[in-house]
Amino acid sequence: MSQKLFVSAQEVAERAGVSRSAVSRTFTSGASVSPKTRQKVLDAADALGYHVNHLARGLMRNESGIVCLIVSEIGTPYRSALIRALTQQLQNTGKIAMLINTDRSDGSVDLALRQAIRYRADASIILSGLPDKSITDLCLKNGQRIVLINRDDDREGPLRINLDDEDAAARIATAFVRAGCRRLAFANSQAGTPSLMARERGFVAAARGLGLEVVVERFGHTGYESGRAVAQQLLTRKERPDAIFCATDLLACGLMDAARHQFSISVPDQLCVAGFDDIEQASWSSYQLTTFAQPVDIIARAAVSWLSQETEAQPENRSVRLHADLVWRSSIRGG
Amino acid sequence: MSQKLFVSAQEVAERAGVSRSAVSRTFTSGASVSPKTRQKVLDAADALGYHVNHLARGLMRNESGIVCLIVSEIGTPYRSALIRALTQQLQNTGKIAMLINTDRSDGSVDLALRQAIRYRADASIILSGLPDKSITDLCLKNGQRIVLINRDDDREGPLRINLDDEDAAARIATAFVRAGCRRLAFANSQAGTPSLMARERGFVAAARGLGLEVVVERFGHTGYESGRAVAQQLLTRKERPDAIFCATDLLACGLMDAARHQFSISVPDQLCVAGFDDIEQASWSSYQLTTFAQPVDIIARAAVSWLSQETEAQPENRSVRLHADLVWRSSIRGG
DNA sequence: TTGTAAGCGTTATCAG
DNA sequence: CTGATAACGCTTACAA
């Protein structure tokens, strides 16, 4: 029963004894209102419990203040950390986040973008999947900005934020070798997303540069259970690896747990392990995982500040490459 | 530069050679349009890339389809799992979630509710904190529904979804005693939220009923680090506890890690541990934590289905009490 | 600085 | 079933 509708600017105007434009101006930053009227309006608004209707405002201004976050597997540590950083950052700049959950199905991201269009979101930030080109173009044509995080797409138009995955992978190869490891392996999921593949590529290439071949194993999705499954594959080999780089921390946690509790392999004494993301669990004393930190706050800041840029200041500054710091813990010998 | 605005129903109507009301009806479920006109409209809309403007629709219908999720500590496993379930459930019923991040500061939730009002959200679901009565009333008066999850408030108006925290706590006390434990302890945070306190209360009372006193320790916020800190307090006591019930799984993980790695205490041989929430990490083989499962999907379904209820069918069916299942793993002896 | 009036893209009402 | 017409609550020229 939404009988008594929300109070409108009209009603505030009447109570304050001014025109409704005066009310509007009072709540528009940078509009010219005399302090006196302003105060009258503010008092009336407060008494009546008035709040600007952003639906109507968005309609007029052609700017809703809404930013869509398009994500799958929201419950995952890395994803939820990024969502936290993004929502926080958006709120700081007066915008608001809409959260759309996607799944692995094909048109899932496209559907989400359609929803973003319906609500006339000012922008969409895509953390998972990749939309169809046609729908992307539709968004861009209508002035909706798009940010791709760790999607490594080469399309023009969206802002692309990526990490130096390959470099990071190369650094960890060196660290393994320095720790005395010679039988290197890479544990990946079958997801095959660009950043995951970049890590694999970088690791294999760097190892080869050091004269070592890498055993690569891919299994399932990017989670703890997959880590256990990959461990099953890697740790039962005749030539058992003595160092495994996991594409994500979640994989690494699963792999470490299987190594220790199922195969009674000691980490790091008999097996060195590294991960990627620096999720909270990586720092827990059961894991103490050496890993690369996703700079979630910097990513969020980069995304949101680009959204706030009035004009297209830089013509081709649409690709941001960020550095992933190596967080050294004790899942690799030495240090 | 959002130069070329989004295409409007007007333009679609012109291209299809019908009136704009025909277009509107085509996209309104349950409106009467002839299949022929309908198809003409659909074709034109598709060709033009038309999408109904939900801002304008919300303005007219007085129903935006937006539901606000008000949460603090989004990155936490339990919270993010609940957010996932809620967003999913909302999407299934054609609604969309706005996510507002709150902090521990006082007016934080009130500010979030103000934002919900501005966007004329149909409802707000509050997972953290508790809003001021005046702002709550303002929301309710204007037909915005409010759901409180695990807030255990006794106000009339909002839908209140809670678990049987006290009962659960009592069950675990019995389990501890059955496992041969006699020196019981409860590890809590200082957050003091109703559900946390209910667990403490229920545990202490049940233990007393079994003739045992409980040592209670509270520290910091509800996270892994606090669990470590509480362990410091509890495990250095002269009479060291042989069973600890932690108010959340995160506390339990921290406590278990400290017990094992810092104090070399074996779980469950020398110390039984239980938690609450059944976060994903509780099932990891490093923890294998016996805990109570938050029925996140059921909670989400209860919340969303209530939001979809047309009228106020039941006058006082506004409190839902859900059962938390005990998930038995190996952090308690026996079984 | 202030008020008036037009218009944003919808949907709802009401004739036809 | 269809098409005008009047809202919805707001912003923003334009004029005073």
Side-chain angles (χ1 to χ4, degrees):
Chain A
M1 297 297 222
S2 50
Q3 292 294 45
K4 174 68 181 73
L5 287 107
F6 286 88
V7 25
S8 72
Q10 175 75 286
E11 304 175 57
V12 177
E14 280 163 16
R15 184 183 232 265
V18 298
S19 72
R20 68 193 101 156
S21 18
V23 177
S24 181
R25 277 189 274 260
T26 301
F27 292 101
T28 305
S29 66
S32 56
V33 201
S34 76
K36 213 177 62 186
T37 12
R38 183 186 173 73
Q39 196 52 53
K40 277 195 291 184
V41 170
L42 250 29
D43 289 345
D46 206 47
L48 262 38
Y50 169 76
H51 291 264
V52 178
N53 185 334
H54 275 49
L55 265 36
R57 170 178 279 185
L59 201 55
M60 270 307 296
R61 287 206 185 152
N62 217 45
E63 183 179 349
S64 62
I66 297 172
V67 174
C68 268
L69 266 35
I70 300 177
V71 205
S72 72
E73 283 150 357
I74 291 182
T76 264
Y78 158 59
R79 288 280 163 70
S80 58
L82 193 46
I83 292 172
R84 183 196 50 68
L86 284 166
T87 50
Q88 194 56 62
Q89 209 59 237
L90 286 169
Q91 283 172 230
N92 291 349
T93 49
K95 303 197 175 299
I96 192 155
M98 262 188 175
L99 187 57
I100 304 187
N101 211 349
T102 61
D103 54 34
R104 270 183 275 275
S105 76
D106 250 9
S108 192
V109 179
D110 296 358
L111 239 52
L113 273 180
R114 286 222 161 65
Q115 197 72 320
I117 292 179
R118 291 199 199 95
Y119 279 96
R120 298 301 189 260
D122 298 336
S124 292
I125 302 181
I126 300 176
L127 314 191
S128 317
L130 208 51
D132 202 67
K133 185 159 179 2
S134 64
I135 181 88
T136 310
D137 287 346
L138 181 61
C139 289
L140 294 171
K141 203 179 61 189
N142 291 115
Q144 182 175 102
R145 306 206 185 183
I146 295 186
V147 179
L148 301 171
I149 297 184
N150 276 338
R151 311 282 83 218
D152 207 11
D153 189 55
D154 56 356
R155 279 174 214 173
E156 288 304 320
L159 172 69
R160 308 181 308 272
I161 302 181
N162 288 286
L163 298 188
D164 57 345
D165 293 289
E166 296 204 35
D167 289 358
R171 273 177 280 154
I172 209 67
T174 309
F176 279 150
V177 170
R178 202 169 287 160
C181 303
R182 289 294 173 272
R183 300 186 302 281
L184 271 40
F186 186 80
N188 207 347
S189 79
Q190 288 176 317
T193 66
S195 51
L196 259 31
M197 295 315 282
R199 290 166 205 171
E200 178 178 317
R201 214 165 40 242
F203 188 66
V204 171
R208 206 163 280 167
L210 295 165
L212 298 171
E213 277 307 309
V214 172
V215 177
V216 174
E217 198 69 55
R218 302 191 195 112
F219 185 86
H221 302 300
T222 317
Y224 176 88
E225 280 307 325
S226 300
R228 296 192 66 98
V230 173
Q232 203 76 28
Q233 301 298 317
L234 287 174
L235 300 178
T236 52
R237 293 176 64 92
K238 285 227 187 59
E239 283 264 288
R240 201 179 74 196
D242 56 6
I244 305 179
F245 180 31
C246 301
T248 71
D249 283 357
L250 238 28
L251 286 170
C253 287
L255 184 136
M256 280 177 81
D257 274 349
R260 286 169 168 163
H261 307 137
Q262 191 176 339
F263 295 98
S264 301
I265 295 171
S266 161
V267 176
D269 301 326
Q270 301 169 274
L271 175 69
C272 290
V273 177
F276 205 108
D277 286 346
D278 194 26
I279 62 177
E280 204 209 311
Q281 288 73 27
S283 72
W284 289 6
S285 66
S286 282
Y287 300 100
Q288 281 296 311
L289 182 64
T290 293
T291 185
F292 292 93
Q294 290 264 7
V296 287
D297 287 309
I298 298 176
I299 293 174
R301 204 155 13 226
V304 174
S305 79
W306 184 70
L307 296 184
S308 309
Q309 271 172 36
E310 286 298 322
T311 52
E312 334 258 326
Q314 299 89 340
E316 286 314 310
N317 196 11
R318 292 198 157 160
S319 180
V320 175
R321 182 158 296 269
L322 262 26
H323 180 73
D325 275 326
L326 178 56
V327 181
W328 194 271
R329 298 203 184 88
S330 52
S331 65
I332 299 183
R333 288 188 297 274
Chain B
M1 293 306 215
S2 51
Q3 292 293 45
K4 173 69 181 72
L5 287 108
F6 285 89
V7 25
S8 73
Q10 176 75 287
E11 304 175 56
V12 176
E14 281 163 14
R15 185 183 231 266
V18 297
S19 73
R20 69 200 109 170
S21 359
V23 178
S24 180
R25 277 191 274 263
T26 302
F27 291 100
T28 305
S29 68
S32 54
V33 203
S34 75
K36 215 176 61 185
T37 2
R38 184 187 172 72
Q39 195 53 51
K40 277 195 293 187
V41 170
L42 250 29
D43 289 345
D46 205 48
L48 262 38
Y50 169 76
H51 290 263
V52 177
N53 186 333
H54 275 49
L55 265 35
R57 170 178 279 184
L59 201 54
M60 268 308 296
R61 287 204 185 155
N62 217 43
E63 183 180 349
S64 62
I66 297 171
V67 174
C68 268
L69 266 36
I70 300 178
V71 205
S72 73
E73 281 149 359
I74 291 181
T76 265
Y78 157 60
R79 288 280 164 70
S80 60
L82 192 47
I83 292 172
R84 183 196 51 67
L86 283 166
T87 50
Q88 193 56 61
Q89 209 59 235
L90 286 169
Q91 285 173 227
N92 291 349
T93 49
K95 303 197 174 297
I96 193 156
M98 262 188 177
L99 187 57
I100 304 187
N101 211 350
T102 61
D103 53 34
R104 270 183 275 275
S105 75
D106 249 8
S108 194
V109 178
D110 296 357
L111 240 52
L113 273 181
R114 286 223 159 64
Q115 197 71 320
I117 292 178
R118 290 197 198 96
Y119 279 97
R120 297 302 188 260
D122 299 335
S124 293
I125 302 180
I126 300 177
L127 314 192
S128 317
L130 207 51
D132 201 68
K133 183 153 181 9
S134 64
I135 181 86
T136 309
D137 288 346
L138 182 61
C139 289
L140 294 171
K141 203 179 62 187
N142 291 113
Q144 182 176 104
R145 305 205 186 183
I146 296 187
V147 179
L148 301 171
I149 297 184
N150 276 338
R151 310 283 83 217
D152 206 11
D153 189 54
D154 55 357
R155 272 172 220 176
E156 288 303 321
L159 172 68
R160 308 181 308 270
I161 303 180
N162 288 286
L163 297 189
D164 57 345
D165 294 288
E166 294 204 35
D167 289 358
R171 274 178 279 155
I172 210 67
T174 309
F176 279 151
V177 170
R178 201 170 286 159
C181 303
R182 289 294 173 271
R183 298 186 303 280
L184 273 38
F186 187 81
N188 207 346
S189 78
Q190 289 177 314
T193 68
S195 50
L196 259 32
M197 294 316 282
R199 290 166 204 170
E200 178 178 317
R201 212 165 41 239
F203 188 66
V204 171
R208 206 163 279 167
L210 295 164
L212 298 172
E213 277 306 309
V214 172
V215 177
V216 174
E217 198 70 55
R218 304 192 194 112
F219 185 85
H221 302 300
T222 316
Y224 176 88
E225 280 308 325
S226 300
R228 295 192 66 99
V230 174
Q232 203 76 29
Q233 301 300 317
L234 287 174
L235 300 177
T236 51
R237 293 175 65 91
K238 285 225 186 64
E239 284 264 287
R240 201 179 74 196
D242 57 6
I244 305 179
F245 181 32
C246 302
T248 72
D249 283 358
L250 238 29
L251 286 171
C253 287
L255 183 136
M256 280 177 80
D257 274 350
R260 285 169 169 164
H261 307 137
Q262 191 177 340
F263 295 98
S264 301
I265 296 172
S266 162
V267 176
D269 301 326
Q270 302 171 272
L271 175 68
C272 290
V273 177
F276 206 109
D277 288 345
D278 194 26
I279 63 177
E280 203 208 311
Q281 289 72 28
S283 72
W284 289 7
S285 66
S286 282
Y287 301 100
Q288 282 295 311
L289 181 65
T290 294
T291 185
F292 292 93
Q294 289 263 7
V296 286
D297 287 308
I298 298 177
I299 292 174
R301 206 158 11 229
V304 174
S305 79
W306 183 70
L307 296 184
S308 309
Q309 272 172 37
E310 286 299 324
T311 52
E312 333 257 327
Q314 298 87 341
E316 285 315 310
N317 195 12
R318 291 194 157 162
S319 180
V320 176
R321 182 159 295 269
L322 262 25
H323 181 73
D325 275 326
L326 178 56
V327 181
W328 193 272
R329 298 203 183 88
S330 52
S331 64
I332 299 183
R333 288 187 297 274

